[in-house]
């Protein structure tokens, strides 16, 4: 232990993050099980990302397509917000996906690609798609 650490005990404080109760309800961020996913595109048809879900682990998320750049990242906030809202209303993750399909508007800035609901053997399959 050096002299500065002895003089300033704050340098030795435990800084572990401890979540506090009462925050927003969130779906789990990962799963090792199969997932359902939707493809999301801009008005012009360019794919910006994927929304995925797994009910067993109460998990769901948004994967931005890296090739979409900053615009895809920014438009993805809308889809992540839809997931947060669905969880706050107590919807199962795949029910949230079904709602997104039902409420999607192709005239909007981004929309669910029609008939894009797919099953993937793992979340990694979806993240790999987003990396392409």
């Amino acid at each position: 232990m050096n002299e500065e650490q002895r003089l300033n005990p704050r340098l030795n404080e435990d800084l572990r993050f401890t979540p506090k109760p009462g925050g927003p309800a969130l779906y789990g961020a990962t799963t090792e099980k199969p997932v359902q996913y939707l493809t999301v595109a801009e008005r012009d048809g360019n794919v910006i990302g994927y929304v995925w879900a797994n009910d067993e682990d109460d998990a769901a998320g948004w994967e931005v397509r890296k090739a979409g750049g900053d615009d895809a990242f920014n438009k993805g906030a809308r889809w992540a917000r839809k997931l947060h809202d669905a969880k706050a209303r107590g919807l199962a993750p795949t029910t949230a996906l079904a709602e997104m399909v039902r409420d999607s508007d192709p005239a909007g800035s981004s929309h669910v690609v029609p008939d894009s609901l797919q099953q993937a053997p793992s979340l990694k399959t979806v993240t790999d798609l987003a990396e392409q």
Side-chain angles (χ1 to χ4, degrees):
M1 189 181 253
N2 66 36
E3 186 65 28
E4 186 177 327
Q5 285 175 321
R6 254 183 265 135
L7 295 175
N8 189 348
R10 290 182 301 156
L11 295 175
N12 296 322
E13 287 181 30
D14 181 5
L15 298 177
R16 275 187 243 153
F17 172 74
T18 308
K20 297 289 183 191
L26 300 174
Y27 291 119
T30 189
T31 182
E32 297 297 322
K33 297 179 175 78
V35 298
Q36 291 182 22
Y37 70 96
L38 298 169
T39 302
V40 177
E42 295 177 296
R43 208 175 293 141
D44 62 9
N46 288 329
V47 174
I48 62 168
Y50 307 91
V51 185
W52 60 269
N54 172 279
D55 287 345
E56 279 185 83
D57 288 335
D58 195 38
W62 163 257
E63 294 294 328
V64 67
R65 186 166 177 252
K66 303 298 185 234
D70 293 340
D71 196 39
F73 179 83
N74 291 334
K75 287 180 180 174
R78 173 181 175 215
W79 298 94
R81 200 169 37 255
K82 285 179 179 282
L83 288 173
H84 293 289
D85 293 346
K87 178 62 176 176
R89 289 182 286 127
L91 296 182
T94 58
T95 303
L97 291 186
E99 185 176 85
M100 288 178 195
V101 169
R102 186 187 69 233
D103 296 344
S104 186
D105 178 10
S109 65
S110 61
H111 65 278
V112 172
V113 173
D115 300 318
S116 68
L117 181 63
Q118 306 244 354
Q119 180 88 12
S122 69
L123 177 55
K124 183 170 179 358
T125 302
V126 179
T127 59
D128 287 349
L129 274 174
E131 290 292 327
Q132 295 178 359

